[in-house]
Amino acid sequence: QVQLVESGGGLVQAGGSLRLSCTASGGTFRFYTMGWFRQAPGKEHEFVAAINWSGGVTSYADSVKGRFTISRDNAKKTVYLQMNSLKPEDTAVYYCAVKYSSSSRLPQLGSEYNDWGQGTQVTVSS
């Protein structure tokens, strides 16, 4: 079982950048698929990005493609979400999640992930 802790959220102006980190403890991080999701007030939980165990396969929601980049450092047991050109509609609580699988299929449904972090708030002002 993996425990996940997100960090790096905060308040930023539109057009700015933030980098979120999610550090794992326990388990065998390097074998697992990792994902980022977000939830804005009054909205559904939304897929943002995912990455396979090696970092060689990634997937993005259309709403963030070209602006966000997911990456991982297996030696540090950390997955990152670099967010550029932020928009007010990116405001949400961002969660990382782990799927105990080394498949290169990257689920976009939250129900397919096994464990979650506590979330970090990202607020983008206009």
Side-chain angles (χ1 to χ4, degrees):
Q1 189 127 5
V2 172
Q3 291 77 47
L4 302 171
V5 177
E6 300 98 335
S7 60
L11 173 64
V12 64
Q13 287 190 332
S17 298
L18 281 174
R19 188 176 81 156
L20 305 183
S21 300
C22 172
T23 300
S25 59
T28 313
F29 176 83
R30 66 184 183 276
F31 292 147
Y32 302 146
T33 295
M34 299 297 297
W36 284 98
F37 290 78
R38 66 187 181 186
Q39 187 165 25
K43 293 192 175 181
E44 296 287 319
H45 209 228
E46 178 187 18
F47 169 77
V48 176
I51 189 166
N52 79 324
W53 67 275
S54 68
V57 182
T58 57
S59 175
Y60 297 92
D62 287 343
S63 58
V64 307
K65 205 171 289 185
R67 300 188 297 123
F68 291 11
T69 303
I70 189 171
S71 62
R72 66 190 294 161
D73 184 334
N74 285 342
K76 295 182 178 179
K77 293 188 174 183
T78 300
V79 61
Y80 304 98
L81 187 68
Q82 177 67 43
M83 305 186 295
N84 299 329
S85 302
L86 282 161
K87 305 175 181 180
E89 52 264 43
D90 294 318
T91 295
V93 178
Y94 283 70
Y95 301 89
C96 69
V98 58
K99 177 175 173 62
Y100 298 132
S101 168
S102 57
S103 168
S104 291
R105 186 183 76 85
L106 302 179
Q108 297 190 4
L109 287 176
S111 58
E112 295 197 52
Y113 289 78
N114 301 105
D115 285 300
W116 296 76
Q118 83 290 349
T120 185
Q121 176 71 47
V122 171
T123 302
V124 184
S125 63
S126 56

